[in-house]
Amino acid sequence: MKILLLGGDEKILQANSDSQKRLAGYGYLAEQIYIVIFSAKKIQPRQTGNVFIYSSGGCFRLTALCKGYFLAKKLIKQEKIGAVSSQDPFESALAAWYLRKNCSIKFNIQVHGDFFSQKFWQRQKWLNFFRYYEAVWLLKKADSIRAVSQRIKKSLIDKFEISAEKIIVVPIYADFSSLELMSSVKKPDTYSLEPFVFLIVARLSKEKNLPMVLRVFSKLRQNGRGAVLRIIGEGREREKLEGLARKLKIQDKVEFLGWLNKEALCSEYRIADCFLLASDFEGWGLAPLEAAYFGLPIVMTEVGVCGEIFQPKNDALCSSPRDEQKFLVNMQRVFSDRVLRELLGQNAKAALAKLLTREQTMELYKKAWFT
């Protein structure tokens, strides 16, 4: 069967990007895979093996959606495509539902984010109130749903009474092959003379709740403890976060590094002492898995891989989202207890054995698309 994928991830349009390479690797799952990205960027169609990538073009979001819909409809008729899968349960899913209705093909929705188990996402902006109910309606119309975690599957069943049989959990495959050589390199001899390094790898967006981390880090510093915070990532919140660091008078102890290439990122994992994740919600979360691969102790909120890969207290120190005091206590414990740090790091790395292999992940994709 030929498959059509719809979404808004513009990284897929970038030549040789990780997103494009990942999707190209799915080619053997279907006769052909066609990908339409809703984007203002108009590129010439690209082909990698039996995977074809298109962009909609269009100056505005609504224009891009309309152009993408008609492009997708044309591809379905020309190429006799049998199923459509949307990258999200919102606007992409709405376009996919119209295609299913007008072209009589199978309709799959992918849910990458934990949007529904709590209300943090709904409160981010007023538009999400309407998108929430849009998603509820569309999810019930889908022939199958791919959720990236059991947590998301449970929220869909509990909140919307969606049949468990049509929800297939397909975690995001974690490929550590590019990190393998880097992880075995020892830390520099001068490492023990350096301050304690807390590390964050995240998009600088509201749901990552980085202001809480800055406040907690400031309190930890007030206790006379020498530590630095290194933040890898970019996003709309960067200017606000830099301003908050200045307000808290920790700007000389917090460094915003932007996005780094793989080699530089691995170097940061190697010199770090503890990995932090304070998100309000996560679908899965590759960064904590990478941190575990490097044997780092992890302090995180109870989101994403917490509870599925990492067991609280044993593999990572976890707290409820927005629980600032508990997050501070967990940071202090890791900071002050070397034995605990080593134990958590070892346990987190061992927990990676629970991850599915690439072959197992691909089989679940086939089940989600062809059910």
Side-chain angles (χ1 to χ4, degrees), residues 187-198 221 225-228 230 253 255 270-273 335 341:
K187 295 181 179 181
D189 293 337
T190 57
Y191 169 74
S192 60
L193 303 177
E194 299 296 325
F196 191 97
V197 178
F198 288 104
R221 292 278 312 174
R225 300 187 169 187
V228 296
R230 297 172 70 80
K253 302 300 179 182
E255 189 168 1
R270 285 196 297 111
I271 66 172
D273 294 284
F335 182 88
R341 289 200 300 272

Side-chain angles (χ1 to χ4, degrees), residues 159-344:
K159 283 187 171 290
F160 310 138
E161 298 182 347
I162 293 173
S163 170
E165 285 71 29
K166 79 172 187 178
I167 306 174
I168 297 109
V169 176
V170 189
I172 299 170
Y173 174 64
D175 183 5
F176 298 124
S177 59
S178 61
L179 308 179
E180 191 167 351
L181 292 176
M182 295 288 180
S183 66
S184 60
V185 179
K186 293 183 178 180
K187 295 181 179 181
D189 293 337
T190 57
Y191 169 74
S192 60
L193 303 177
E194 299 296 325
F196 191 97
V197 178
F198 288 104
L199 178 67
I200 292 173
V201 180
R203 185 175 63 255
L204 307 187
S205 53
K206 288 184 178 179
E207 71 272 12
K208 303 302 180 181
N209 198 15
L210 296 179
M212 184 184 82
V213 179
L214 293 179
R215 291 192 298 270
V216 168
F217 179 72
S218 175
K219 292 176 183 177
L220 186 142
R221 292 278 312 174
Q222 287 172 6
N223 293 332
R225 300 187 169 187
V228 296
L229 175 62
R230 297 172 70 80
I231 301 175
I232 298 171
E234 280 291 354
R236 295 180 179 179
E237 298 296 302
R238 177 164 180 166
E239 187 174 338
K240 292 180 181 178
L241 293 168
E242 290 175 332
L244 179 58
R246 289 191 294 271
K247 182 179 179 181
L248 295 170
K249 299 180 180 180
I250 55 173
Q251 68 272 19
D252 59 331
K253 302 300 179 182
V254 178
E255 189 168 1
F256 293 86
L257 303 173
W259 289 119
L260 303 178
N261 61 37
K262 189 66 72 174
E263 184 176 354
L265 175 61
C266 289
S267 295
E268 292 296 328
Y269 279 128
R270 285 196 297 111
I271 66 172
D273 294 284
C274 177
F275 180 85
L276 305 176
L277 187 146
S279 298
D280 291 332
F281 58 89
E282 288 279 348
W284 187 241
L286 288 176
L289 298 178
E290 290 180 344
Y293 188 78
F294 282 85
L296 289 180
I298 298 167
V299 172
M300 66 183 297
T301 47
E302 293 171 347
V303 297
V305 294
C306 179
E308 292 191 37
I309 302 301
F310 302 139
Q311 294 307 308
K313 297 183 181 179
N314 186 66
D315 306 328
L317 297 186
C318 305
S319 57
S320 300
R322 302 284 179 103
D323 189 341
E324 199 161 316
Q325 182 58 35
K326 183 64 173 178
F327 200 86
L328 172 59
V329 169
N330 287 340
M331 284 179 64
Q332 289 172 331
R333 288 183 63 196
V334 171
F335 182 88
S336 60
D337 191 335
R338 181 172 182 175
V339 174
L340 176 63
R341 289 200 300 272
E342 292 178 353
L343 181 62
L344 287 171

Side-chain angles (χ1 to χ4, degrees), residues 40-69:
K41 298 177 182 177
K42 186 64 177 176
I43 65 166
Q44 291 298 315
R46 293 175 181 166
Q47 179 180 357
T48 304
N50 64 336
V51 177
F52 302 83
I53 301 173
Y54 301 80
S55 67
S56 63
C59 299
F60 304 101
R61 176 67 174 169
L62 181 59
T63 309
L65 283 167
C66 291
K67 286 191 171 186
Y69 168 79

Side-chain angles (χ1 to χ4, degrees), residues 111 147-154 169-171 282-284 304 308:
V111 186
V148 299
S149 69
Q150 292 291 342
R151 188 194 307 272
I152 293 174
K153 178 176 180 176
K154 185 176 185 301
V169 176
V170 189
E282 288 279 348
W284 187 241
E308 292 191 37

